[in-house]
Amino acid sequence: MTESVAPGALEQVRTFLNTWWVPNDTRVAEDRLPETLADPADLGEMSELRTALRAALGVERPAVLASWLERHPLRAELSSDPGSPPLVLTPEDGTAAGRVLAVVAEAVRAGQWARLKACPDCSWVFYDHSRNGSRRWCVMSPGGSDSRGCGSIAKVRAYRERRRA
């Protein structure tokens, strides 16, 4: 779903968050995090971080992540290289969790974090590119054999409920 791709490095965080989701064909939650980690020892912490980040999706000021930033402090580095951003946040501890948090902190600063949302039906994380930031669903209509069209299904469900009432 190209309309769901997040800008820059935030796409890596979106991909990380989508290691847990509810596939359309089985409707049973899947966790693909273990297969994506380079170090299996990180599984517990990265799973907890993924849960915390998912809880903060769509929030402009995710203060709930403060404890994570205390555990994985970031360092601001200035760059004189015209090909890179003037200020880069890097994790002091160099951990995978620290690298993810650095991208999240930059997205919060840039005002992009609140546009990262999860579909209320399938839990797929998408980036809201809509003008007013009001997108709710991963997709509105099915785009292929593996696509469910969560938005259309929800609207049909709501219509049928109104008709019944």
Side-chain angles (χ1 to χ4, degrees):
M1 290 182 246
T2 57
E3 72 273 4
S4 297
V5 175
L10 190 54
E11 176 60 14
Q12 296 168 352
V13 174
R14 189 183 78 85
T15 300
F16 165 65
L17 293 172
N18 280 331
T19 58
W20 184 93
W21 67 304
V22 181
N24 295 326
D25 54 349
T26 64
R27 303 306 292 162
V28 175
E30 283 187 18
D31 186 355
R32 294 188 176 159
L33 184 60
E35 18 181 293
T36 64
L37 294 176
D39 185 357
D42 291 339
L43 181 59
E45 182 173 52
M46 293 304 286
S47 181
E48 287 177 35
L49 176 59
R50 182 183 60 193
T51 300
L53 290 174
R54 280 182 155 273
L57 287 172
V59 177
E60 190 173 319
R61 297 172 184 257
V64 296
L65 299 178
S67 64
W68 281 94
L69 290 170
E70 288 173 12
R71 287 180 7 201
H72 300 279
L74 303 175
R75 179 178 56 249
E77 296 177 355
L78 296 171
S79 172
S80 59
D81 179 10
S84 67
L87 181 71
V88 177
L89 297 174
T90 57
E92 288 184 358
D93 58 11
T95 62
R99 289 189 298 275
V100 169
L101 286 165
V103 174
V104 170
E106 176 55 32
V108 170
R109 187 208 59 76
Q112 297 172 328
W113 177 256
R115 287 189 173 253
L116 206 58
K117 302 173 181 179
C119 177
D121 185 49
C122 69
S123 299
W124 188 257
V125 175
F126 61 91
Y127 188 82
D128 182 356
H129 288 278
S130 69
R131 186 178 304 190
N132 63 0
S134 64
R135 184 173 161 195
R136 254 185 98 190
W137 311 101
C138 58
V139 291
M140 283 304 296
S141 59
S145 61
D146 63 340
S147 180
R148 182 172 152 83
C150 296
S152 291
I153 290 169
K155 286 184 176 195
V156 168
R157 188 180 306 128
Y159 170 78
R160 289 181 179 161
E161 286 294 320
R162 285 192 308 270
R163 297 285 291 171
R164 257 186 248 140

